[in-house]
Amino acid sequence: MQERRRKFYGWGYEGDTVPPEETAEFESAWSRMLGIDHFEAMPFPKEEDIDLRAPRIQPPASLAAMCTTDKYDRLYHTYGAGTVDVARALRKEFRNPPDVIAYPRTEEDIVDLYDWCGRHNLAAIPYGGGTSVVGGVNPPEYDRYRGVVTIDLKHFDKVLEVDAKSQSARIQAGVLGPSLEKQLKPTGLTMRFFLQAWEFSSLGGWIATRAAGHFATAYTQIDDHVQSLKVVTPSGNIESRRFPVSGSGPNPDRLFLGSEGALGIITEAWVRLHRRPVFRKMTTVRFSVYENAVEATRLLSQSGLNPSNARLIEREEAAYTGSSDGSYDILVLGFESADHPVDVWMNRALEICAECSGEWDAQTLNDKAAGSDSGTTNWRNKFLRGPFLREYAIARGVMRETMETAVTWDKFAALRDHVKAETHRAIREVTGRKGSVTCRFTHLYPDGPAPYFTWFAYGDKSRIPEQYMAIKRIAEQAMVDAGGTVTHHHALGRDHRPWYDKERPELFCTAMKAAKMAFDPKQILNPGVLFDPS
């Protein structure tokens, strides 16, 4: 059976389209938000319309069977899935494509590719699902490399072993979310790690970028799921031992969590699993005063209840998704368990919300269908559809960006005000028009939330990449200036490097460079994502 091809310029598969009625619904929302009464969409690019630079290198005969210089493959691997990536693709701008795409099937294949790249001074870009929104899989632009080889791990897609008694599994790193869960389903276990890009992102990508799933508490970070790793580096393989926990010195796995392919390619991981939940409760809590909603979520984060979902959404965003009439903020609140009913936990959480003047519909809470109330359902549907709408928005001149951070509770209010004010200013200065900036909580911790900012702006379709980056630079700087981290779960890539360089201790960077020299002495692996090659 022929494999379906992914779009080289946007989200999803070739042939996938957004229904006209859905496009019209979003256009109506964008019109209200941005003050635009009519949209003209630019056409999506076709493969034959793009002039692509000829490959600067050719694979040797010994590697030819796993390599290709096919035009589509090179187009598809030029960009990730960020707004600026899609905008450049729609502009038919593919000036820095990879030269060769490699599809190894074994770890020995990866070693052979390293050897070729090292001997001929080629950059090697590890590639999982390609959903990076921060330039993490884009070929680097350094003159020191003779060419770029993208190493796609799509054939590393198997669940190799399941330890049902310990609720864990050994899984190859190239497996995408749906395939991973499909292979686990007969065991009755689940990794339960779902993120917006779940359909097209890989286990190795989650680990290499320190991704976070949808759970608001407890099972949030991929860090907490990893038991051990197997990593193939240019200097040799590393395989850590599997324990529930160990106090024996620094944990080797932690060095590769967040390494973004700069130290080695993760090929396997033992990860923790969970029994599939059978008890669920979910509802939407309404707050007429935003500060009360923030206080309720803080108390929830420190209560020990550990809700599976606790997303605080500002009224403007809630209205955009049809989850509010715009007069109140909403808290999407949920609990689930494989072991016991969750009524007691939900009831206590609602008591906390009530103490902060929160209100909810008791009838929908009692409905057995989790998430059956319209507020929860509408927001969830719009959230999941977001990536599919990205190229349609950009084709109409609508820029949408998300920026997430984490900050302690005492700094949140000032951070939110500063980021929103500066982002609004940036949108006005860059586009000459008003925009929209909202904030929601995606994850909660006892010491602080993970604020997730979303901004919309209407730009010049011929200049969207430049306008987008100009706004993003101001908005990101505002976030860092107010005391937040540059990213909570979107990774660094090349886009976040300027702020990461200031966030990390300089001596730590020196240590990371020493590790890079030990694992990758010829500096071939994903140069530029953590620091510039020496």
Side-chain angles (χ1 to χ4, degrees):
M1 183 180 296
Q2 186 174 3
E3 182 180 352
R4 291 187 71 189
R5 300 202 315 183
R6 297 264 297 277
K7 295 177 184 176
F8 69 83
Y9 61 83
W11 194 262
Y13 293 104
E14 290 182 340
D16 288 349
T17 59
V18 173
E21 58 271 19
E22 186 177 9
T23 305
E25 180 184 355
F26 275 95
E27 282 188 349
S28 177
W30 296 331
S31 293
R32 293 192 301 271
M33 183 187 299
L34 302 173
I36 306 298
D37 55 14
H38 180 67
F39 295 97
E40 287 287 344
M42 61 193 294
F44 295 135
K46 297 179 181 178
E47 185 178 334
E48 58 268 23
D49 295 337
I50 298 170
D51 293 324
L52 200 62
R53 179 185 68 198
R56 295 168 293 182
I57 54 174
Q58 290 292 331
S62 60
L63 301 178
M66 73 172 94
C67 294
T68 182
T69 58
D70 177 78
K71 183 178 182 181
Y72 162 79
D73 289 82
R74 295 177 64 216
L75 286 173
Y76 170 67
H77 289 87
T78 298
Y79 293 122
T83 297
V84 71
D85 293 331
V86 176
R88 286 173 177 152
L90 296 191
R91 202 162 66 176
K92 304 177 186 177
E93 182 181 311
F94 289 81
R95 60 182 179 80
N96 190 38
D99 299 282
V100 174
I101 313 302
Y103 296 97
R105 292 180 177 272
T106 66
E107 292 173 354
E108 290 74 17
D109 288 343
I110 296 175
V111 172
D112 291 342
L113 288 166
Y114 284 162
D115 180 62
W116 174 45
C117 292
R119 284 186 291 106
H120 294 279
N121 196 26
L122 310 176
I125 311 300
Y127 192 98
T131 59
S132 172
V133 294
V134 291
V137 297
N138 300 22
E141 300 191 41
Y142 295 110
D143 292 337
R144 62 166 287 175
Y145 297 100
R146 293 182 55 240
V148 174
V149 179
T150 293
I151 302 176
D152 191 313
L153 298 182
K154 73 174 186 177
H155 295 305
F156 287 72
D157 61 351
K158 304 292 190 301
V159 173
L160 300 173
E161 185 177 353
V162 175
D163 176 356
K165 194 166 190 176
S166 305
Q167 292 191 179
S168 56
R170 181 167 65 97
I171 305 173
Q172 289 184 309
V175 67
L176 302 187
S179 178
L180 186 158
E181 288 296 332
K182 182 178 180 180
Q183 293 180 65
L184 288 176
K185 190 171 184 179
T187 70
L189 298 172
T190 171
M191 189 170 172
R192 210 85 188 117
F193 192 80
F194 302 117
L195 57 167
Q196 192 177 33
W198 176 77
E199 184 177 0
F200 297 114
S201 56
S202 69
L203 171 63
W206 305 340
I207 296 169
T209 61
R210 295 187 71 187
H214 284 329
F215 284 96
T217 64
Y219 306 126
T220 296
Q221 301 294 120
I222 192 66
D223 306 38
D224 300 324
H225 292 72
V226 173
Q227 285 185 320
S228 69
L229 296 176
K230 188 172 186 182
V231 186
V232 178
T233 83
S235 296
N237 293 0
I238 288 181
E239 186 170 6
S240 59
R241 296 184 64 183
R242 179 169 68 113
F243 304 109
V245 68
S246 172
S248 54
N251 187 328
D253 298 332
R254 298 303 184 206
L255 186 60
F256 296 98
L257 281 158
S259 62
E260 303 199 24
L263 304 180
I265 291 179
I266 300 166
T267 57
E268 293 180 13
W270 273 98
V271 297
R272 294 180 175 89
L273 304 178
H274 313 280
R275 286 186 292 155
R276 295 180 179 275
V278 292
F279 302 97
R280 294 185 179 91
K281 283 281 184 179
M282 186 172 287
T283 194
T284 300
V285 184
R286 302 180 297 275
F287 294 89
S288 59
V289 178
Y290 182 73
E291 288 73 18
N292 290 345
V294 173
E295 180 64 5
T297 55
R298 182 186 71 82
L299 294 173
L300 281 171
S301 74
Q302 296 170 351
S303 68
L305 293 170
N306 287 330
S308 59
N309 206 345
R311 292 179 180 249
L312 177 59
I313 303 165
E314 284 184 343
R315 62 194 63 190
E316 184 180 351
E317 180 178 348
Y320 170 72
T321 61
S323 307
S324 164
D325 62 9
S327 64
Y328 55 86
D329 311 290
I330 65 172
L331 174 65
V332 178
L333 180 64
F335 289 86
E336 66 175 44
S337 173
D339 178 72
H340 52 266
V342 295
D343 304 67
V344 173
W345 283 260
M346 176 62 87
N347 291 341
R348 175 56 192 143
L350 290 175
E351 287 177 359
I352 292 173
C353 292
E355 292 166 4
C356 297
S357 302
E359 300 177 346
W360 60 94
D361 186 339
Q363 185 59 43
T364 58
L365 174 63
N366 293 328
D367 195 311
K368 294 182 179 180
S372 60
D373 65 288
S374 60
T376 298
T377 302
N378 289 342
W379 183 86
R380 181 180 183 276
N381 290 343
K382 290 292 194 303
F383 173 77
L384 294 176
R385 291 297 293 166
F388 293 91
L389 268 294
R390 186 175 288 124
E391 63 250 38
Y392 288 83
I394 294 170
R396 289 158 174 77
V398 177
M399 293 179 279
R400 175 185 180 274
E401 170 64 334
T402 56
M403 314 177 306
E404 22 68 64
T405 186
V407 69
T408 50
W409 286 109
D410 61 314
K411 294 180 180 179
F412 166 68
L415 178 140
R416 171 178 174 262
D417 291 345
H418 184 60
V419 172
K420 293 185 74 170
E422 284 295 281
T423 307
H424 274 299
R425 177 181 67 83
I427 292 170
R428 289 193 303 270
E429 290 181 356
V430 171
T431 69
R433 297 175 176 273
K434 72 170 187 176
S436 169
V437 186
T438 60
C439 176
R440 70 174 182 265
F441 292 165
T442 57
H443 303 82
L444 297 180
Y445 306 95
D447 46 346
Y452 190 101
F453 294 91
T454 301
W455 57 262
F456 283 87
Y458 185 72
D460 179 343
K461 287 194 284 288
S462 66
R463 298 174 53 239
I464 282 183
E466 292 76 22
Q467 291 182 320
Y468 164 86
M469 289 305 296
I471 297 170
K472 179 179 173 69
R473 279 190 288 268
I474 294 172
E476 293 282 355
Q477 188 64 51
M479 199 164 64
V480 173
D481 287 346
T485 177
V486 69
T487 180
H488 173 264
H489 59 262
H490 279 172
L492 296 173
R494 292 171 179 80
D495 295 351
H496 286 161
R497 264 286 312 283
W499 298 280
Y500 175 63
D501 288 353
K502 298 175 183 178
E503 179 177 320
R504 71 184 175 206
E506 190 56 37
L507 187 57
F508 177 75
C509 183
T510 301
M512 287 295 294
K513 289 179 178 178
K516 173 80 167 175
M517 287 302 296
F519 294 128
D520 180 20
K522 295 186 177 179
Q523 310 276 299
I524 63 173
L525 277 168
N526 216 8
V529 292
L530 299 180
F531 41 75
D532 292 330
S534 59

